[in-house]
Amino acid sequence: DPETGIDERSIIEIGFGLRRAHTNRLANAGPWLTGDTGEVLQKLSSHLRQLPLGEDLSTVPEADLTKACEEVRSIFSAFESISGIFDLMFSRGAFGFSIFANVIRELGPQDQAMMLLFWRMFRSWGLGPNIDQLLEVAHQWHQVWLPLFQGLEQLRNEVPVTAEVLAPKQMGLALRWKLTMKWVLEMAHQFAQDPDVKAFFTSHPELIKAIEASNNDLFTDG
């Protein structure tokens, strides 16, 4: 629209809450949405015209469908839990995740089947490497970061001395700003000498492993 400047791309981004995906960032990492969504929509439309959803479904081995189902479930589960934690840390809608997470929660059986078809279609377009990267991120989230965030939340609730430093908003600031993260780490080092904190970690060795696994990857340069 020449008068308003609104096109299909803008409508999609507004409707799916993706505006903040262009600007929100963590530490030195840039926004996760940097490409032209209009170009993506054009490619999607073109591919759908050439191969409608489910056209080859009758020839797909059951093992392939089962694998695709497991992959979609892993991605959706990670996306939903990331959104919930980020909403607490940064505010609702941060990074453009909230609306997608709501859609995932409200998917019915027919919607889930459609997402499964889309997932298979993406691989058929040669996007397998991209999908595998997403799956690796989801795996790392489930194995490392989610247990870490859950463990720190439990520590905050059970050991009052850590409540301020480990508050969700404070952790959100730490994830975005290195100086805040430095302060949080310094305070955490001091808390490590607290008897209640020591007792907590003694009873939760899995949290120590999660902290070691995270290895501060989000805050290293390059």
Side-chain angles (χ1 to χ4, degrees):
D1 187 328
E3 296 183 1
T4 64
I6 296 177
D7 57 12
E8 289 88 346
R9 173 180 53 191
S10 298
I11 293 171
I12 291 292
E13 291 185 359
I14 293 172
F16 281 97
L18 292 175
R19 289 296 192 180
R20 292 177 64 179
H22 285 293
T23 57
N24 291 161
R25 64 183 65 208
L26 294 176
N28 288 337
W32 70 267
L33 184 60
T34 57
D36 183 354
T37 54
E39 181 180 350
V40 173
L41 290 172
Q42 289 177 338
K43 290 182 178 179
L44 176 62
S45 176
S46 175
H47 281 299
L48 283 174
R49 285 196 299 267
Q50 297 173 13
L51 183 63
L53 279 176
E55 184 171 285
D56 62 341
L57 192 58
S58 61
T59 63
V60 178
E62 184 175 348
D64 289 354
L65 288 177
T66 299
K67 180 182 178 182
C69 186
E70 293 172 350
E71 291 177 346
V72 171
R73 186 181 296 113
S74 176
I75 291 292
F76 279 9
S77 175
F79 208 103
E80 188 176 359
S81 58
I82 289 172
S83 172
I85 289 177
F86 277 20
D87 281 353
L88 290 174
M89 288 185 173
F90 303 104
S91 74
R92 182 164 177 77
F95 300 89
F97 288 169
S98 296
I99 292 181
F100 276 125
N102 287 341
V103 170
I104 291 171
R105 295 185 190 101
E106 297 173 3
L107 287 176
Q110 187 173 5
D111 301 317
Q112 294 173 19
M114 288 292 293
M115 293 306 302
L116 184 59
L117 293 179
F118 268 111
W119 191 257
R120 288 198 62 261
M121 184 176 63
F122 293 152
R123 281 200 178 277
S124 72
W125 294 351
L127 297 177
N130 304 76
I131 290 177
D132 290 338
Q133 287 182 354
L134 284 176
L135 289 170
E136 178 59 31
V137 170
H139 176 76
Q140 187 179 47
W141 172 259
H142 287 305
Q143 296 297 317
V144 178
W145 296 105
L146 181 57
L148 175 60
F149 285 128
Q150 291 174 333
L152 292 177
E153 177 66 12
Q154 186 176 357
L155 172 61
R156 187 176 74 90
N157 291 331
E158 295 184 11
V159 185
V161 70
T162 67
E164 180 182 357
V165 174
L166 298 180
K169 296 298 183 184
Q170 185 65 54
M171 293 299 295
L173 290 173
L175 288 172
R176 297 184 66 179
W177 307 106
K178 282 192 170 184
L179 287 178
T180 306
M181 176 55 69
K182 181 180 179 180
W183 175 77
V184 168
L185 293 176
E186 290 174 351
M187 294 300 296
H189 181 71
Q190 295 179 25
F191 290 153
Q193 308 307 315
D194 185 279
D196 291 336
V197 174
K198 288 183 177 180
F200 178 88
F201 279 102
T202 298
S203 61
H204 296 282
E206 72 281 358
L207 181 55
I208 297 178
K209 293 180 180 179
I211 293 174
E212 292 174 347
S214 67
N215 197 29
N216 290 330
D217 286 341
L218 287 177
F219 317 107
T220 56
D221 292 327

